[in-house]
Amino acid sequence: MTRTGSSRRTFIAGAGAAATAGALGATGALATPAHAQAPAQARSPESAGRRVAVLGGGVAGLTAAHELAERGYAVTVYERRALGGKARSMDVPGSARGGRRPLPAEHGFRFIPGIYHNLPDTMRRIPFPGNAHGVWDNLVAPPEMMFARAAGREDLRAPIPWPGHSPASLTPDEIRRALTGILQSLVRLPPHESAYFVDRVLVFLTSCDERRDEVWENTPWWEFVRAAQMSNEYQRILAVGITRNIVATKAEEASTRTVGTLGEAFVFNALGRGADGPPDRILNLPTNEAWIDPWEAHLRTLGVEFRIGWTVQEVQYGNGRVSGVGVLDPAGVRRTVTADHYVSALPVEHARRTWSPGLRAADPMLGRCDRLETDWMTGIQFYLTERAPLVHGHLNCIDSPWSLTAIQQAEHWPARDFPADYGDGVAVDCLSVDVSDWDKPGILYGKTAKQCTRDEVAREVWAQLKASLNDTGKTLLTDRTLHSWFLDPGVDGLGTPNPTNQDQLLIHPTGTFHNRPSADTRIPNFFLSGDYVAVDIDLATMEGANASARAAVNALLERDGSTAQRCAVLPMYRAPEVESFKRHDLWRYRLGLRNVFDLG
């Protein structure tokens, strides 16, 4: 197995829920902006010359810069590494040959489901040559997904329902195997357990907001669905499988409020209710080509300036305001950035280290962010010399110890001839895999991912993939077709007592929702943006990052007395026919009664 480097994730695969539903001072002066495609907001004369420092260049920071620049603010973005943050793609160093581009890698594969509304709105406003709706037109919908089983179990392969969706063509053998997998699960999943799970779904669906916030937020999903008393099949598919797909966290810890809210949204999405598009959408090119690079170019036309390689060290506080931000420039020289307003758009684990004691004392809400938790979910890419006949979409290896999810990229990039455009011309595909559990022993070395070296992680992931995909009489992945691999460079110190990960993922253990901060703070010129900020979508997502940035800009406009049109912050869909049940449940909850469907 040849090593070429490093990468990471983003499959919050609600596709699984969808298939289930179908089956069932350094700021420069503002340049005059070019005409923005479908500009969402009016410019405000009060903002002329007003300077905003955006700290962080991920999705949250770029969204804040976009909205502010459209309203005439002079914006500078400070980013220590690369624009796009965890959402970016990257090059495999030294992999390009013969005038080709380097092999494309990523922190983790993109996933932009139809439950998102704010992020797609921004994507429509980023011009892309030949696209009527900007980079939004670069979204494509995989036609199917698969739960890959191990130990000789047939895989569960299912189409992703959506009006006008062309189903993937299947051979008679593939149809036979798909039906076998479904029947095996039906036989092994006792009918009374299926009925009980449906009852739990109804309980959550009809629970009032107060019950969700006060009871289900403090109840683990594992306990809510009574997984400990159920069969292994129930636990693997309905407890563990769902939480890994939807919220990338452990069923034993995950808040029922978070799991249930997102599961509900994906089911309605699959039914075509309140959707921006199909339940599963990905980009038709590597992320930077399809989205991040065009976004940067568009923001520059709006006058946004970028300081790449600048590391935020401390948000300074004095006289009741943020007085400046201490940064290190690319040469390692300490500088102080000053502006009229500051938007902190760093991930929470990095942002809270920059908040000075004075800043924290000014707003106790910032201190509660110390209770928010992050965990590892990191991607690795395997480059293949032959395309593997897996599935035309995402796959979830639900029996794998490290909770692997994956997708083959090349078939979804029709504008690219993979071997002609990337690498050395030998690799023809990229199998992008996310490792969700870094704390369980693997099957090859008996060690957790954190205890393994980088080479051991690659071999272990490859072994777990083969255990899930090569176990039913067909060899879908072979060692001879493995060209190379790339593991996220943000992971360091693997195999040592103190491994580190620069790009952790916010997770959702019980009770943590109430520690999420609002976008506005008690400091009049300081605002928060990021997927840890309290917005309608209770999940670490690009949608949450985008919505929080809009909320931060709106708070800034209010503080500034601006007359500019406020950003639209689009809520998650609520089915009107369910609202009457929620009102009834509110009455029952206040009387101390169970939900009417709750059988205990």
Side-chain angles (χ1 to χ4, degrees):
M1 191 178 291
T2 305
R3 172 182 175 181
T4 59
S6 327
S7 184
R8 188 285 206 195
R9 101 106 201 177
T10 306
F11 174 39
I12 314 156
T20 301
L24 313 165
T27 313
L30 178 71
T32 301
H35 176 68
Q37 179 176 344
Q41 317 297 342
R43 293 169 58 80
S44 170
E46 305 93 349
S47 62
R50 301 287 277 170
R51 300 172 303 144
V52 182
V54 175
L55 313 178
V59 172
L62 294 178
T63 303
H66 194 157
E67 300 292 349
L68 288 163
E70 284 190 346
R71 291 160 177 77
Y73 285 85
V75 182
T76 300
V77 176
Y78 296 86
E79 167 57 43
R80 68 183 175 90
R81 188 173 53 188
L83 297 179
K86 291 191 286 288
R88 76 193 188 284
S89 56
M90 61 193 89
D91 297 335
V92 176
S95 63
R97 300 285 189 280
R100 299 178 184 85
R101 302 165 185 252
L103 287 170
E106 53 197 357
H107 176 62
F109 50 78
R110 302 281 72 72
F111 174 64
I112 303 175
I115 68 169
Y116 290 4
H117 292 281
N118 295 284
L119 184 67
D121 173 70
T122 297
M123 297 178 83
R124 290 184 179 94
R125 290 153 47 203
I126 303 170
F128 191 91
N131 287 359
H133 304 104
V135 302
W136 184 85
D137 284 338
N138 289 337
L139 294 174
V140 295
E144 60 177 346
M145 57 83 62
M146 183 169 75
F147 281 158
R149 306 305 306 266
R153 299 284 306 280
E154 283 290 358
D155 302 326
L156 296 170
R157 184 169 174 173
I160 299 175
W162 188 251
H165 219 169
S166 298
S169 58
L170 298 176
T171 66
D173 182 60
E174 288 173 328
I175 294 173
R176 176 189 63 78
R177 296 181 66 182
L179 291 175
T180 300
I182 292 171
L183 289 174
Q184 283 181 348
S185 290
L186 289 176
V187 168
R188 297 194 186 197
L189 186 62
H192 73 276
E193 292 187 357
S194 299
Y196 184 78
F197 184 79
V198 170
D199 173 69
R200 303 315 286 166
V201 170
L202 285 174
V203 169
F204 186 86
L205 185 67
T206 58
S207 287
C208 62
D209 292 341
E210 286 83 350
R211 193 186 298 274
R212 294 185 181 199
D213 291 347
E214 297 170 14
V215 178
W216 303 143
E217 169 60 20
N218 293 297
T219 304
W221 178 253
W222 183 268
E223 179 182 322
F224 179 76
V225 297
R226 305 293 192 271
Q229 291 84 48
M230 302 298 180
S231 66
N232 182 68
E233 196 78 359
Y234 182 98
Q235 293 172 357
R236 297 304 304 171
I237 296 177
L238 300 177
V240 175
I242 285 179
T243 55
R244 280 299 177 189
N245 271 351
I246 297 177
V247 295
T249 192
K250 298 177 177 65
E252 296 85 349
E253 302 174 359
S255 155
T256 293
R257 180 192 188 280
T258 297
V259 178
T261 299
L262 271 294
E264 174 185 37
F266 279 121
V267 169
F268 283 127
N269 186 179
L271 297 174
R273 304 287 298 275
D276 181 80
D280 189 2
R281 295 182 298 186
I282 58 178
L283 291 163
N284 63 2
L285 288 166
T287 307
N288 275 38
E289 294 182 45
W291 174 25
I292 303 300
D293 290 346
W295 201 1
E296 176 188 357
H298 180 57
L299 294 182
R300 289 187 185 276
T301 70
L302 296 178
V304 176
E305 296 187 1
F306 296 96
R307 301 285 185 267
I308 309 300
W310 292 59
T311 302
V312 177
Q313 290 194 308
E314 183 182 22
V315 180
Q316 300 159 353
Y317 180 79
N319 298 319
R321 303 171 62 83
V322 171
S323 56
V325 176
V327 300
L328 287 181
D329 70 14
V333 177
R334 170 87 179 195
R335 298 176 180 270
T336 299
V337 169
T338 59
D340 298 299
H341 300 284
Y342 303 83
V343 178
S344 177
L346 300 169
V348 65
E349 69 273 22
H350 298 299
R352 58 194 177 197
R353 290 198 296 262
T354 70
W355 299 337
S356 64
L359 194 76
R360 286 169 170 266
D363 191 343
M365 174 183 71
L366 299 177
R368 292 205 305 274
C369 292
D370 293 337
R371 303 173 193 166
L372 298 176
E373 299 182 34
T374 60
D375 202 352
W376 292 34
M377 187 175 188
T378 302
I380 180 171
Q381 285 78 54
F382 295 96
Y383 303 96
L384 309 178
T385 58
E386 295 177 10
R387 290 200 179 174
L390 302 182
V391 64
H392 303 290
H394 292 103
L395 65 93
N396 181 349
C397 301
I398 60 175
D399 296 321
S400 60
W402 290 1
S403 297
L404 306 180
T405 51
I407 190 169
Q408 288 178 279
Q409 300 283 29
E411 71 171 288
H412 303 293
W413 297 344
R416 290 278 179 260
D417 181 330
F418 197 96
D421 292 339
Y422 299 109
D424 57 6
V426 178
V428 303
D429 205 349
C430 170
L431 178 60
S432 188
V433 185
D434 287 345
V435 181
S436 298
D437 196 326
W438 286 72
D439 297 305
K440 285 185 180 177
I443 63 174
L444 201 59
Y445 300 105
K447 297 192 291 188
T448 70
K450 292 176 183 176
Q451 293 169 335
C452 290
T453 65
R454 296 177 76 83
D455 288 305
E456 288 172 340
V457 166
R459 292 191 186 98
E460 178 72 52
V461 171
W462 185 249
Q464 291 187 31
L465 288 170
K466 290 192 296 182
S468 291
L469 298 168
N470 293 352
D471 61 320
T472 51
K474 283 196 173 184
T475 302
L476 304 182
L477 292 180
T478 64
D479 293 345
R480 67 175 178 79
T481 65
L482 181 57
H483 174 277
S484 53
W485 56 270
F486 185 85
L487 176 63
D488 187 352
V491 174
D492 195 18
L494 289 175
T496 72
N498 299 298
T500 60
N501 188 342
Q502 296 184 50
D503 300 296
Q504 297 193 37
L505 185 75
L506 183 74
I507 59 172
H508 307 270
T510 56
T512 55
F513 174 78
H514 301 296
N515 293 321
R516 287 177 167 235
S518 59
D520 59 327
T521 73
R522 295 184 183 180
I523 299 97
N525 63 340
F526 184 63
F527 308 91
L528 302 179
S529 175
D531 59 13
Y532 67 98
V533 173
V535 290
D536 200 39
I537 186 166
D538 174 21
L539 194 64
T541 59
M542 296 181 291
E543 172 77 351
N546 185 280
S548 70
R550 293 166 179 247
V553 170
N554 285 346
L556 187 154
L557 295 175
E558 288 294 326
R559 296 276 177 83
D560 218 24
S562 173
T563 59
Q565 184 178 344
R566 299 318 191 237
C567 307
V569 183
L570 305 171
M572 292 181 67
Y573 176 73
R574 294 176 69 111
E577 60 270 36
V578 179
E579 293 304 307
S580 61
F581 288 95
K582 291 181 179 179
R583 288 191 295 271
H584 177 70
D585 188 60
L586 176 60
W587 171 77
R588 293 181 62 86
Y589 179 63
R590 290 177 175 174
L591 289 176
L593 301 174
R594 288 179 174 178
N595 179 280
V596 69
F597 293 104
D598 194 342
L599 304 179

